[in-house]
Every structure is written in C-alpha cells, then in structure tokens.
C-alpha cells in the first residue's frame, strides 16, 4: 500500500524508558529514586487542595514555586525557570542555547539523554573522554565550542568536582553557555550556585525527583542569569505556556518549605551510601567514590551482566549500561538500610 | 560589555500567555475555562492519593489513563497519546509530522499557537482565508501541502463543520498528516473519531481543559493510527519520557470514569450558551453560531475594544484579539447562568 504521508514523518530512533515494575516484592534500585517519602507538607498540600480550582489554568509563571526557590537560593524569582522534570528543562535549554555550528562538548560517559537531544534538535556535539578513573580534565574543555554541559556529580559514575574546578571551566568558557546539571548535587557535592553572581553564561539545572522524593510529580528547575532564564521562558512560552500543573506548583513549594526534612533525608541517604559502599568493597567490588544517591561498582571476578541477571532473578533491580568503557559496571541506587542489606546478602550469595 | 555567548542563543519573539487575575471579584470569561468543577471522582482521587508514591517515577506509558480513553473511544490503547495539555500534544505533532518542504495549510483565523510552533520548528506554512462568514471551504485545501491543521470547532470563531465535511478534507488529503484539533468538540460538534478506522493519516487532538474542567491539571491527548501514535511516542521519548505526573494520570482517569457527570456539565454549558446568545442578540450583537464553550460576537454600533475596556472596568474579563478581520469581535467564554446574567447587565449598561 502506498502511504506518501509516511515521508513527512520525523524519522527518529525511539529512546526506550527504563523498566518500572509494579510487582510489590521487587527491590527497586534501578532508577535513582529516593526510598523515603516526600516532606509531610506535600501530602497535606494534596489533601487540602480544592479540586474545583483545577477548572482554571494554573499560574503560567509558577510564581509560588519560583518565589520559594528564589528565596532558598538567594536569587531573584526572574532567575528561576520551572519545567516538567529536569529533562524538560534540559531539553529546552539545549534547544535555546546551543544554536551554534560549533559542536558542544560533554563527557563521553554521562547522562544518556544528551546525545538524544542533540539528535532531536540537530545540535552538533563532541564527547570528551573522561580519564581512566572516570574523572573530568578541565583542560580538555579549553577549545572553541558551541556550549559545555557538565553534570556535577556526573552520572552514572557518581563522581563530583569542586567549586574551584567548576570556576576553572567557566573562566575558560565565557563565549558559550555552560550548563551544570546538578540532578544529584544534594547528596554531598558542591553546587555552582555561588558562581551565578559572576557568570552570566552559567545555567544550573536541578530536579526534585531525587533529593526531594518527587519523581512522580515531575518538577525540575534552572537557575541562571535573567538573560538565560528570559530566553528559556520565551522558548517555553512558544511551545506550551502551562507546563506546570497546579498540584505540582503546590507540592514543590511545600517541599522547599521544609528544609529540615530535606536535610534529614539527604543525610540518611548519604549515611546508607557510605555504609553500603564499605560492604560492597568487603565483597571485592571496586566502588567509585560517590557524591550521589547511587553507587557505580565493578567486580574483578564476575561480569556485571551476570550479576545484573542474578540479582534480577532475586527480584532486585539495578542498572546495567551496555556501553563502551562501562559495560562491566553496575549502577546501584541507594535505598534504605534494609534494602541495601538485602542487596548485600544477595550479592554474597551470587559471588 | 562583550558577551559572545548571546550569539548562540535562540532568537525568538516571546509568546505572552493571557492574563490570569487572582482577584476574587472578577468574572473571568477570557480563557474558555469551565465554570463547573471537575467530576467528584477527581477530588476523591487527589485526597486518597498516597503522597509516598510520588517518590517513584510515574508510569511513562500512562497506561491507566490511556486504557480509560481507549475504552471510551473504542480504540486500542496504542492509538492514544498523552501530553501535558493539548498544546504539548500539538507542539509534538507539528514537530513529528510536518517535516516536508511543502507548506502546511490552516485557516487564517484560528488558534494563535499554530504559527508560533511553525516558527519554533521552522515549518513552512500558508494560511487559507476563511470566507466572509468565517466558514472553511474544503476545496481551498485541494492542493499540494505538507500537512493540514483544522480545528473543529474553530477558535475563536466557534463555528463547526460536519463529519461529512471532515471526510471530504481527508479524502482529498491522503498524502500528508491531517490534524483535527478538537479542543472544543464536546460542546456540540461532531468528532472525527469515526474516521480513524478509515484514515491512517488522521490525528485527532483533544483536551481535558475545557469540557472536563481540568485546565489546572494539564492533560491533553491525541487519537490516531498506531503509525502516527508510535511516531509521537518516539519523539516524546526523545524529549522527556515522563511528561504526565502521577496525579494527572489519576485525575484524568477519574474524569473519564464519570461519563454522566461529563455529559451533564457539557449540557449545562450548551444551555447557557444558547440562552446567552439570544440575550446578546437582543442587545444588538451579531453572534456567530457556536459549537464551543464561547461566543464570538460583534456589535454594529460600538467598537469591540471600547466594550472590552468598559467590561474590564466592571471586573468582567473577555478576550479581544487585535488581529486583521476580527479586531471588532469579542470572544466571550460561557460561564454560569449567573455570570452571563451579570455580563448581559453590564453590556446593557455600556451600550
């Protein structure tokens, strides 16, 4: 059958989202979700929300949540951009800031969505190899480019860099937009926020999905100069004026309002991470130093894919990337102490 | 100051969202919102939702809501695409289906976001003039094109076309994707859904913002062949895998579950519309026949901009488009009977 309309369709290799099993017996350490619930105020905000208000459009400017974030970070609310998860924010940022013919630069081992957005928006890019220990070398970024994207800490390696390192990158890259993807920054790394007052070309992207236990609510945000945030707003308003629903704005603001709970949860995840790292090392694993809510590990005597499948048999899900340089590594989300104990017991059994 | 990074930013004229006053005294007839609350099940879904579940990512495939919609429309769930409001769905559809060098076609007077998306995605387009009565002429679309977009009913005119008319358009446009934008279809127009079994190149876009009183929840969807829906999914998954938050999926499914409430609300809006149309005609207005939740009106003796400002003084907001051919018209959302009575009284006073 002749179907000429097919010629006009966008040709694209579909990105397939990770598995989300609903089986209750599964220990889910594969999506870097937080094992603790969001701040109690989030549940209260949902229960007290008047459903009749949903008949009206939400505040397109998301002022309540922007104001809460601006206050927390010591910025103006015109320096805060909201999106439907940090993927939405990053996708818009790629589309908004990387309009040069010169390739953008980012590490060879990093978040797998970066090349997908480059393909979607036809942005030229070059990947910069991490060193043998999966560290970034700042000098590798001292060359003409259309932009720089650096996750800190990096995923899936978990490694972070210092504020001085980030400033070094920025000082040498003032002719382009530098995006620091801080999805995991709250688990012990240093945020680039103090650099915002000095670098108008710096965009910091964070998410409420990890440290604030709100993956299900889809809230991401960017912090930057009014120039960059204004451009993001213009592109977003040319795409969809109302990306943040009324409940996401309430839930996000309720989370930001409870700094003590936020710090407690991050502290618990960090403590469990350090404890689990030691236990994994005791089993012979090489564990990369992590400043995130996951551990990136490899075992000298057992293939990662074998361990991955054996854990799966035991209803424990972790993440295995079949990619060059890291095919023998596993990314293990930090769950509760009990979940990590179950993981360690299962691994002891497998090894 | 020299800022070379500015050269790499996307240059775009910002689209400015409409005003959303929070003053309680205002009668808000400017955004085509529904004056009635969503189905009671929506509020129950919010109150019974376990906030702890927000720590996990939502179902990227939105099965619960897709299944509910598929059942309602007699389709497979692989024929349903979900988005963050119908603007998100339409933007993705423009990006996914209009990849030809031949201009796409849509009416000269229609939804103001179409040209914005064409500019954003660099899609060539030509507008096709409506006739003097703001009607579509099917024969105007009998020419080579990269795609057709037709809202039924059209906005801001409110006029609808028959199913036979839509099939005529489709029969003459099988080499491209035809998008029927049915944002307002539930207020009395004929949906193109029966044509889906025959035309694989037909995409129907609907929203829960109007007839289902869920503008604040951001839920839009597309219905089409598995070919078109599969392409939308691939592009969406290359942009942001998790556009629908967990609460939107629950709220949407709860709304679809209550067909009786849905029909009652639509019936009330239609009855008020017909009553208000007669009252406006009695005041000397020309009222276009409407199959939507708004009325498009003009008065022979008084400028639309004068009426608009006078209503604003009285805390009644309607919509005035400063655009060619319609600068002397007002778009008035159908509110409750009481709101429309207040509007009529104010207009009587102004005239």
């Amino acid at each position: 059958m002749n179907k000429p309309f097919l010629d006009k369709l966008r040709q694209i290799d579909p990105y397939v989202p990770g598995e989300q099993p609903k089986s209750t017996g599964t220990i889910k350490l594969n999506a870097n979700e937080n094992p603790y619930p969001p701040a109690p105020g989030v549940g209260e905000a949902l229960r007290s929300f008047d459903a009749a208000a949903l008949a009206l459009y939400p505040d397109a400017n998301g002022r309540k949540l922007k104001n809460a974030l601006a206050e927390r970070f010591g910025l103006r609310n015109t320096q805060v951009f909201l999106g439907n998860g940090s993927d939405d924010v990053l996708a818009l940022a790629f589309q908004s800031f990387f309009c040069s013919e010169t390739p953008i630069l980012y590490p060879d081992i990093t978040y797998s969505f970066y090349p997908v957005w480059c393909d979607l928006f036809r942005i030229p890019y070059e990947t910069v190899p991490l060193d043998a220990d999966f560290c970034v070398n700042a000098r590798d970024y001292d060359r003409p480019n259309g932009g720089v994207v650096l996750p800190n800490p990096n995923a899936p390696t978990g490694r972070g860099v210092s504020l001085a390192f980030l400033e070094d990158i920025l000082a040498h890259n003032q002719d382009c937009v530098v995006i620091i993807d801080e999805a995991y920054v709250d688990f012990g790394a240093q945020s680039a926020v103090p650099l915002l007052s000095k670098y108008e070309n710096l965009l910091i992207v964070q998410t409420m999905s990890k440290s604030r236990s709100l993956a299900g609510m889809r809230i991401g945000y960017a912090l930057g100069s009014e120039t960059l945030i204004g451009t993001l707003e213009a592109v977003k308003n040319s795409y969809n004026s109302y990306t943040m629903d009324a409940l996401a704005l309430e839930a996000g603001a309720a989370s930001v309002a409870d700094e003590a709970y936020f710090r407690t949860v991050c502290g618990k995840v960090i403590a469990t991470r350090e404890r689990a790292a030691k236990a994994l090392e005791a089993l012979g694993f090489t564990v990369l130093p992590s400043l995130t809510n996951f551990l990136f590990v490899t075992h000298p005597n057992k293939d990662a894919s074998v361990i991955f499948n054996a854990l799966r048999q035991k209803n424990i899900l972790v993440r295995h990337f079949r990619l060059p340089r890291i095919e023998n590594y596993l990314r293990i989300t930090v769950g509760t102490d009990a979940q990590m104990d179950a993981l360690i017991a299962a691994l002891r059994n497998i090894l």
Side-chain angles (χ1 to χ4, degrees), chain A:
Chain A
M1 188 184 160
N2 184 26
K3 295 179 183 176
F5 75 91
L6 293 177
D7 299 338
K8 292 168 176 126
L9 268 51
R10 188 78 182 244
Q11 303 303 321
I12 201 153
D13 283 330
Y15 174 93
V16 181
E19 55 188 336
Q20 287 284 7
K22 292 293 167 197
S23 141
T24 44
T26 305
I27 296 181
K28 200 166 172 305
L29 305 174
N30 70 332
N32 296 345
E33 291 151 329
N34 199 307
Y36 303 105
V42 171
E44 287 158 28
L46 298 186
R47 284 189 296 278
S48 66
F49 190 89
D50 177 12
L54 291 175
L56 300 182
Y57 281 93
D59 175 12
N61 207 18
R63 267 161 290 211
K64 184 168 181 175
L65 181 50
K66 277 189 187 172
N67 289 345
L69 288 166
E71 193 186 346
R72 180 174 192 272
F73 290 107
L75 302 169
R76 293 181 293 279
N77 64 8
T78 44
Q79 293 186 273
V80 181
F81 177 80
L82 302 175
N84 186 25
S86 65
D87 284 349
D88 181 39
V89 176
L90 285 163
L92 277 169
F94 272 57
Q95 201 175 0
S96 302
F97 302 139
F98 299 151
C99 300
S100 150
E101 299 297 310
T102 317
I104 69 164
L105 306 177
Y106 55 79
D108 62 338
I109 299 167
T110 192
Y111 188 35
S112 56
F113 241 123
Y114 299 162
V116 176
W117 292 318
C118 287
D119 289 344
L120 184 65
F121 303 125
R122 302 182 178 97
I123 298 166
Y125 68 96
E126 279 173 26
T127 58
V128 181
L130 297 176
D131 73 15
D133 296 323
F134 299 128
C135 290
V136 181
N137 178 353
R139 295 289 72 76
D140 291 342
Y141 293 82
D142 293 351
R143 52 183 169 118
N145 62 66
V148 170
V149 188
L150 205 63
N152 183 43
N154 197 6
T157 67
R159 298 201 86 129
V161 295
S162 68
L163 192 58
F165 185 98
L166 291 175
E167 176 147 24
D168 185 11
I169 294 270
L170 276 155
H172 289 83
N173 286 280
Q174 297 193 49
D175 294 355
C176 65
V177 173
V178 176
I179 297 179
I180 309 296
D181 181 351
E182 297 190 346
Y184 298 100
V185 78
D186 296 321
F187 300 106
Q190 284 185 284
S191 170
V193 167
L195 301 176
L196 283 175
S197 57
K198 199 162 164 191
Y199 297 96
E200 201 178 338
N201 62 323
L202 165 62
L203 191 85
I204 297 168
V205 178
Q206 297 195 350
T207 174
M208 297 206 179
S209 296
K210 318 293 182 186
S211 56
R212 294 188 178 274
S213 311
L214 285 171
M217 201 74 251
R218 317 308 307 122
I219 306 172
Y221 53 94
L223 310 171
S225 61
E226 288 179 343
T227 306
L228 296 193
I229 299 300
T231 301
L232 278 177
E233 294 286 356
V235 174
K236 172 256 194 182
N237 281 325
S238 300
Y239 190 91
N240 183 4
S241 312
Y242 301 97
T243 46
M244 306 299 292
D245 67 54
L247 284 159
L249 294 174
E250 293 296 328
S255 174
V256 177
D258 198 341
E259 183 74 16
Y261 182 87
F262 166 74
R263 288 182 187 271
T264 302
V265 164
C266 292
K268 281 160 78 171
V269 171
I270 291 168
T272 303
R273 177 185 73 207
E274 296 309 310
R275 190 173 159 274
K278 283 202 185 68
L280 288 163
E281 280 169 344
L283 290 178
F285 281 96
T286 301
V287 181
L288 260 65
S290 169
L291 291 174
T292 64
N293 69 339
F294 58 83
L295 292 163
F296 201 52
V297 307
T298 185
H299 199 281
N301 308 329
K302 200 107 179 173
D303 272 2
S305 63
V306 173
I307 303 174
F308 173 83
N309 286 319
L311 285 172
R312 223 191 134 100
Q313 291 287 322
K314 295 172 184 287
N315 272 326
I316 299 177
L317 290 183
V318 299
R319 194 79 187 267
H320 179 224
F321 298 93
R322 287 166 214 285
L323 294 171
R325 299 187 64 188
I326 59 169
E327 67 272 12
N328 208 28
Y329 282 78
L330 295 174
R331 192 196 70 185
I332 304 173
T333 302
V334 177
T336 60
D337 278 330
Q339 288 176 319
M340 299 317 270
D341 287 347
L343 169 83
I344 302 292
L347 286 171
R348 187 172 295 124
N349 190 275
I350 291 163
L351 297 163

